[in-house]
Amino acid sequence: MIELNYQEYDQHSGTVISVRGSVVDIQFLHKLPPINGELRAGNNAVVIEVMSHLSPDTVRGIALTSTSGLYKGTPVKNTGHPLTVPVGRQLLGRMLNVFGETIDKRDPIDGAEKRSIHQPPVPLNHRTTSSEIFLSGIKAIDVLSPLERGGKSGLFGGAGVGKTVLITEIIHNMVGMHSGVSLFCGIGERCREAEELYREMQSAGVLENTVMVFGQMNEPPGARFRVGHSALTIAEYFRDTERQNVHLLIDNIFRFIQAGSEVSGIMGQIPSRVGYQPTLGTELSEFEERICSTKTGAITSVQAVYVPADDFTDPSAVHTFTHLSSSLTKESK
Ligand SMILES: Nc1ncnc2c1ncn2[C@@H]1O[C@H](COP(=O)(O)OP(=O)(O)O)[C@@H](O)[C@H]1O
Ligand SMILES: [Mg+2]
C-alpha cells in the first residue's frame, strides 16, 4: 500500500488508486462525485467521466483522453459538473472534438455558454411529427426511398459500399435547397475523412452554416462513446434556442454502439447477445430519442450505419432500424 497525504487535497480532490487502460479508480475522502461527473487529472489534461461507485469512497471512471502519465497517487479534481460543450453561433464554421475544443487550428472559442452533454429527451407533448418529404437532391432516393423531414434516416451497408460518399453528396445538395444549420458528427471513422470533408465544405462555401464534431477511430472508447452526445447538445441548442432547422449527419452510428461495447467490456460487464453490451438498447434509445422535432425547430437526421459482415440481423443493425423513419440499404456486390 502506498501512503498518501490526503491533507494536501481539498474537498473536491481525490487520488488515483488504480489505472488499467482507460479505466481509472479514484478515491475521494470527502464527497463522491456523482455518476457522469467530470473529473480532471494531470494538469487538466486527462478527462475522466464517472461510470460507477465501487465503495463508499471509491469511484470508477472511464478516461476520454489517453491515461499515459497517470500513476497511483495522482491528484484528481472533481469539476462538480458533467461533461460540457460550448454552444452558440460562434461554433458555426468550426471543427470541434468531444469536449468542444477546436481542432481546426484556428482561435479557440471564447465566452460561449456551456451545456451538459447529458440532456433529457423532449417531452412527448412538445414534439411534432409531420409526413413531409426531405428532398435529398438525389433523384433515385427522392423517388424510390424518400427521406422524412424532421425524421431519422439510416444508410445501411457494409464496408466501402458508399455510405460516406452518399452523406457527403447529401450535404452538398442541401446548400441552397434547405435553410438552417448543418451539424456533422464523425464517430469512430477514418481521420482522413474528417480532413477531406472539412476541405470540401470549405471549397463548396457551406462551412459557415456547418458545425463539425469529431471523435475518430484513433480516439479512446470513452471519447467515441460521448462525441455523439456532444454533437446532439449543439444540435439541440440550434433547435431550441436559435429556433432553426438542423440537419444532423452522423457517420457512423454503429461506431457509437461499438464504443459502448468497448466501454462495457473494460468496465467488466458480462456481454450479451453476439458479444454486445447488455445495455445496447438503452444506450441507443437514450441517444436516438434526443433527436426529434419540436414546435420551434426540426432536427432532420441522416445516419450512416455500418453493418458488420453484411449481416442485417446483427443486434446493432436491428436496434438502429427500430429508431428510423426511413432507411436505405446498400449491399456490396
Ligand atoms: N456512387 C458511387 N459511384 C462510384 N464510386 C463510389 C460511389 N460511392 C462510393 N464509391 C467509391 O467507394 C469508395 C468507398 O466509399 P465510402 O463512402 O467511403 O464507403 P463507406 O463509407 O460505406 O465505407 C469511395 O472511395 C468511392 O471511390
Ligand atoms: Mg464511411
Side-chain angles (χ1 to χ4, degrees):
M1 274 297 277
I2 47 167
E3 279 299 317
L4 300 170
N5 178 10
Y6 291 110
Q7 268 66 52
E8 65 186 78
Y9 308 121
D10 65 27
Q11 282 217 20
H12 301 293
S13 293
T15 349
V16 172
I17 53 171
S18 131
V19 190
R20 194 162 38 88
S22 283
V23 184
V24 189
D25 290 353
I26 305 135
Q27 190 172 41
F28 285 86
L29 281 193
H30 298 282
K31 192 165 174 261
L32 282 188
I35 300 290
N36 290 341
E38 178 188 334
L39 312 176
R40 294 264 179 166
N43 287 334
N44 288 342
V46 181
V47 184
I48 301 161
E49 184 176 29
V50 178
M51 287 287 173
S52 64
H53 285 182
L54 295 181
S55 72
D57 64 351
T58 318
V59 301
R60 178 163 287 173
I62 294 284
L64 278 80
T65 54
S66 159
T67 50
S68 67
L70 282 195
Y71 54 90
K72 262 186 174 181
T74 307
V76 178
K77 191 174 135 231
N78 173 14
T79 62
H81 56 71
L83 288 162
T84 56
V85 280
V87 293
R89 292 201 67 82
Q90 60 265 59
L91 264 58
L92 289 170
R94 304 305 303 270
M95 184 150 72
L96 313 166
N97 66 7
V98 58
F99 310 114
E101 295 161 354
T102 53
I103 50 172
D104 51 9
K105 298 207 171 131
R106 285 160 56 198
D107 302 333
I109 289 162
D110 279 331
E113 179 196 341
K114 289 209 154 193
R115 286 195 186 167
S116 162
I117 66 163
H118 300 282
Q119 301 284 347
V122 175
L124 277 183
N125 56 349
H126 290 165
R127 294 183 183 220
T128 54
T129 49
S130 65
S131 44
E132 214 181 311
I133 288 178
F134 176 78
L135 289 176
S136 68
I138 301 165
K139 286 196 184 97
I141 295 180
D142 292 343
V143 173
L144 300 173
S145 179
L147 313 181
E148 189 195 9
R149 179 179 295 282
K152 288 173 253 191
S153 318
L155 311 176
F156 289 80
V161 295
K163 302 182 295 295
T164 304
V165 168
L166 198 53
I167 281 213
T168 316
E169 198 68 19
I170 292 175
I171 301 176
H172 276 259
N173 292 348
M174 273 173 353
V175 190
M177 270 171 60
H178 303 281
S179 61
V181 177
S182 298
L183 210 143
F184 185 91
C185 177
I187 314 180
E189 291 286 303
R190 302 170 193 93
C191 297
R192 84 167 155 77
E193 291 180 346
E195 196 276 334
E196 275 171 12
L197 186 73
Y198 182 74
R199 210 155 18 86
E200 278 178 32
M201 307 279 260
Q202 213 166 19
S203 59
V206 291
L207 201 58
E208 62 266 29
N209 281 323
T210 311
V211 185
M212 283 183 258
V213 189
F214 287 105
Q216 296 297 60
M217 53 170 67
N218 61 321
E219 303 211 21
R224 281 178 277 124
F225 188 45
R226 289 301 183 213
V227 68
H229 297 81
S230 302
L232 264 181
T233 309
I234 299 170
E236 285 166 345
Y237 164 83
F238 283 109
R239 179 191 64 194
D240 300 338
T241 310
E242 297 280 336
R243 295 172 167 253
Q244 294 208 329
N245 288 330
V246 184
H247 308 115
L248 176 66
L249 303 127
I250 304 174
D251 190 7
N252 188 299
I253 198 74
F254 167 77
R255 305 294 175 194
F256 162 72
I257 296 174
Q258 192 177 39
S261 166
E262 287 172 48
V263 168
S264 170
I266 56 181
M267 288 296 289
Q269 278 166 354
I270 294 170
S272 180
R273 203 153 49 106
V274 199
Y276 283 100
Q277 65 273 41
T279 46
L280 190 160
T282 325
E283 284 166 12
L284 190 64
S285 322
E286 272 174 7
F287 182 79
E288 294 279 0
E289 279 301 301
R290 283 174 63 182
I291 310 175
C292 68
S293 300
T294 66
K295 288 170 195 119
T296 59
I299 299 184
T300 304
S301 163
V302 182
Q303 311 175 3
V305 193
Y306 169 72
V307 182
D310 278 339
D311 176 9
F312 283 84
T313 64
D314 189 274
S316 65
V318 172
H319 277 272
T320 311
F321 261 122
T322 59
H323 291 283
L324 304 172
S325 47
S326 63
S327 54
L328 295 173
T329 54
K330 302 188 99 194
E331 281 179 48
S332 41
K333 282 278 175 299

